[in-house]
Amino acid sequence: MRALLTLTLWLVAAPPLAAQPSGDCNDTAPALPSPELMRTLTQWLGAHTGYDITRSLRTPPSVSFCMTGETIRYEGHDLLVDPELRAAYDLSARRIFLVRPWQADNPNDVSALLHELIHDVQPLNRDWPCIGAPEWEAYSLQEQWLQARGIDPGFDWMSIYMWSRCPRDVHPD
């Protein structure tokens, strides 16, 4: 259950694909994001947040591709990649999972990568009160990047608000 709660979802309708055998995603795919794209997106993040991006530029997170229906190892748990998932970031492994189909010339796909790169720099630059708190900022930056390209992502901000809220502290009287 924890894996589902910590999962970074980018909700865009993705066509369901046939279930794939369990595996750990393909990190040798011929279409991995280029080092130039990773660097450009990371530099954009530094310019738009003021965050220190040195580590991400020096040693970017690894990137793997998955298919809908595949089971991946995420945050120490098995996770079924559902049709709503477009990308995820495994903080403990510094690994970005991109769900196929993914293309470097598709701004929506690139923005999913950007969203996950945001999660790579966030924990080094701020303390967050809970695991979901960074989502609001990540979606806001993703929206800003897409809007600069004339694309309205159509995010469901009420859902994003709910994902980014921290559980309330409950104290007995």
Side-chain angles (χ1 to χ4, degrees):
M1 185 56 91
R2 181 179 176 275
L4 291 175
L5 295 175
T6 63
L7 192 57
T8 302
L9 294 176
W10 186 52
L11 295 177
V12 171
L17 302 171
Q20 302 294 311
S22 290
D24 198 20
C25 289
N26 181 358
D27 58 3
T28 60
L32 281 176
S34 71
E36 295 80 22
L37 177 59
M38 298 281 285
R39 186 173 32 260
T40 298
L41 292 174
T42 302
Q43 288 170 335
W44 185 93
L45 290 172
H48 288 83
T49 62
Y51 284 167
D52 180 356
I53 56 171
T54 306
R55 179 193 71 163
S56 295
L57 287 173
R58 188 177 325 123
T59 56
S62 64
V63 177
S64 298
F65 286 97
C66 303
M67 299 290 290
T68 299
E70 185 174 3
T71 301
I72 61 172
R73 194 76 179 152
Y74 175 83
E75 297 284 335
H77 299 87
D78 286 337
L79 176 72
L80 180 65
V81 179
D82 71 44
E84 298 293 316
L85 182 67
R86 296 305 308 140
Y89 179 71
D90 184 331
L91 176 64
S92 61
R94 283 196 71 219
R95 187 175 188 184
I96 294 172
F97 296 98
L98 298 173
V99 180
R100 288 192 184 273
W102 186 93
Q103 296 179 347
D105 61 353
N106 180 322
N108 287 310
D109 289 347
V110 173
S111 80
L113 173 61
L114 174 75
H115 183 111
E116 303 315 326
L117 286 168
I118 295 163
H119 291 314
D120 188 56
V121 300
Q122 285 174 321
L124 296 176
N125 287 278
R126 279 182 66 182
D127 289 326
W128 298 92
C130 67
I131 194 76
E135 289 302 330
W136 188 268
E137 179 183 60
Y139 278 101
S140 297
L141 288 163
Q142 183 180 4
E143 179 184 57
Q144 182 180 352
W145 188 89
L146 284 165
Q147 286 179 338
R149 284 144 187 83
I151 300 168
D152 176 5
F155 291 146
D156 177 352
W157 286 103
M158 182 55 81
S159 293
I160 294 167
Y161 170 74
M162 296 305 289
W163 297 329
S164 60
R165 287 184 52 201
C166 297
R168 294 181 185 196
D169 290 337
V170 177
H171 300 283
D173 292 324

